[in-house]
Structure formats: C-alpha cells, structure tokens
Amino acid sequence: MAEIEIFTDGACSGNPGPGGWGCLLRYNGIEKELSGAEKETTNNRMELTAVIEALKALKKECQITLCTDSRYVMDGVTKWLPNWIENGWKTTNKKSPVKNVDLWQELEKLLSCHQIKWVWVKGHNGHEENERVDKLARNAIASLK
C-alpha cells in the first residue's frame, strides 16, 4: 500500500467571506500542490474542503499521514463522526443538525478508502509544510479578486 503524506489548510478573509484551501501531497519525494477558493464560505468549510480535495486526488487505497492545523477537522473525524452518524447527523443533543453536514458526509465516504494517521500541528508556528499550504489557501483567496 502506498504511503502518502498530506498537509492541508483552509483560510477565510472574514468568517464568513471569501475563502481558500490548499493541500500538499507527498509520495516518494514527489509533491503535488492543490488549491481552490470560494467567494462566500467559512474557515471550517475550507479546512474540510482541503482534506476532501486531497483525498479525492488519490487514485487507490493509501496509508496516509495527514497533518492539519484544524482541531475542528481532526476532532470531527477522530472523536465526533461516529456519534453524528449514529444520531442521524445530529449533534450530541440529538436535536441540532451537524454544521457542514454535506462536507462531513463527503469526507466520511472518502475516509473508508484509506488508513489515516491524523497529526495536529500548530498553525502559523513555523511548520514548513503548514506554512506552505496556508500560503496556497491565501493565494487562492487572492485569485478571487
């Protein structure tokens, strides 16, 4: 099984506002950068989109180390997702719908194809790849103007 490193980030200029996402995929020393933007979105949606787009870029099952600075995404996948599914995509109180449910459902389908080790990194703290994907996300926002 291919071993891949993925680094993701999302950004927003205003929240909500114009947003961008970026990801870096690394396999055997070969790197691929992806990015995109939306005119009206939120930071959390861009964080989720970065992970989704990175996973969609993979053509086969992989063993992934995925680095993100988003506790929302990491905790969502590693802690909250099973309960949301069990509760019919409602939060713990079983009344409120999960925010960004469309993206969470898309991500959930992509997760089942891979073995993923989640790694949280502190954002804007000198982590080389995190700074790189942050720049991709911010450049994507700038491309909207």
Side-chain angles (χ1 to χ4, degrees):
M1 187 179 312
E3 293 184 18
I4 309 282
E5 287 180 291
I6 296 176
F7 304 88
T8 65
D9 200 16
C12 223
S13 182
N15 198 19
W21 58 269
C23 58
L24 168 66
L25 293 84
R26 184 180 291 148
Y27 172 69
N28 279 347
I30 299 167
E31 296 182 338
K32 181 176 186 173
E33 293 180 343
L34 302 170
S35 63
E38 293 182 22
K39 290 182 181 179
E40 186 70 16
T41 190
T42 65
N43 187 66
N44 283 342
R45 287 189 69 82
M46 292 295 90
E47 294 281 4
L48 281 163
T49 300
V51 175
I52 289 166
E53 293 300 327
L55 295 177
K56 282 170 53 175
L58 302 174
K59 304 298 182 215
K60 60 183 178 180
E61 183 179 341
C62 297
Q63 188 171 353
I64 301 165
T65 300
L66 199 149
C67 297
T68 179
D69 64 3
S70 172
R71 283 278 183 202
Y72 174 70
V73 172
M74 188 168 150
D75 288 348
V77 170
T78 62
K79 296 179 182 177
W80 309 327
L81 194 58
N83 289 334
W84 288 342
I85 293 166
E86 185 178 315
N87 293 340
W89 295 100
K90 304 276 188 215
T91 58
T92 305
N93 67 16
K94 298 183 184 175
K95 294 177 185 168
S96 304
V98 171
K99 289 182 181 176
N100 305 310
V101 69
D102 57 326
L103 297 178
W104 284 112
Q105 288 173 334
E106 185 175 4
L107 179 55
E108 188 244 339
K109 289 176 188 164
L110 293 165
L111 293 172
S112 65
C113 303
H114 307 285
Q115 295 176 14
I116 302 176
K117 174 186 173 190
W118 291 86
V119 177
W120 181 79
V121 297
K122 186 172 182 174
H124 311 286
N125 201 38
H127 184 281
E128 180 183 339
E129 291 88 353
N130 182 257
E131 297 292 342
R132 198 165 145 192
V133 293
D134 178 67
K135 186 175 181 179
L136 287 172
R138 296 196 178 282
N139 287 345
I141 296 170
S143 74
L144 292 172
K145 299 175 182 173

